[in-house]
Amino acid sequence: MTHDLTGRLVVPLDLDGVTDKAGLMDRCARALGLPDWFGRNWDALADSLSDRAVWPEDADGRGLLLVVRGWRAYADARPQEWTTAQEVFAEAAERAPSLTVALALGGSAEHRPGRAGRSDRA
């Protein structure tokens, strides 16, 4: 199944340097401009991601494309948390069809020596 992402507001969620859930929640709050009352827990993140009323104003009527980049170090450091984060992203996207969450495979954190996806792979 393909989704037309044309016209959606693109919001980068840069997780480079994030090593725990608190860091992830802070980056989400900052990237999306979430209100001060954002609870910084998994349920609050799912609710905020699927609630168009708290999305950036420019996403109104257009939809939102959240591009998560720099996530591999966090995934490696906290695999269970990362699994939960992916579940939250998927749940929110199911609840809000105008939300798409994409995991970027490129970026500075992903191109470390010994990592799959390097440009010098044989």
Side-chain angles (χ1 to χ4, degrees):
M1 176 193 269
T2 61
H3 299 281
D4 183 8
L5 302 177
T6 306
R8 292 199 183 190
L9 175 67
V10 178
V11 173
L13 173 58
D14 187 357
L15 299 182
D16 196 26
V18 170
T19 58
D20 60 14
K21 178 181 169 186
L24 171 72
M25 295 296 167
D26 287 344
R27 295 285 177 92
C28 288
R30 192 175 323 137
L32 293 164
L34 297 177
D36 291 338
W37 49 260
F38 169 60
R40 287 178 164 70
N41 61 58
W42 297 120
D43 289 335
L45 181 59
D47 291 344
S48 295
L49 286 171
S50 59
D51 183 357
R52 293 171 40 160
V54 297
W55 286 1
E57 190 174 304
D58 291 345
D60 189 35
R62 296 174 53 190
L64 181 64
L65 171 57
L66 183 65
V67 179
V68 184
R69 60 185 188 204
W71 55 270
R72 288 187 193 238
Y74 177 57
D76 290 344
R78 305 282 183 135
Q80 290 180 320
E81 283 181 16
W82 178 242
T83 297
T84 301
Q86 290 177 87
E87 291 167 356
V88 167
F89 293 147
E91 176 188 331
E94 286 176 18
R95 290 196 290 179
S98 56
L99 168 69
T100 299
V101 180
L103 301 181
L105 298 178
S108 60
E110 286 78 13
H111 291 281
R112 295 181 302 220
R115 303 297 282 170
R118 291 182 5 198
S119 60
D120 60 349
R121 269 179 51 187

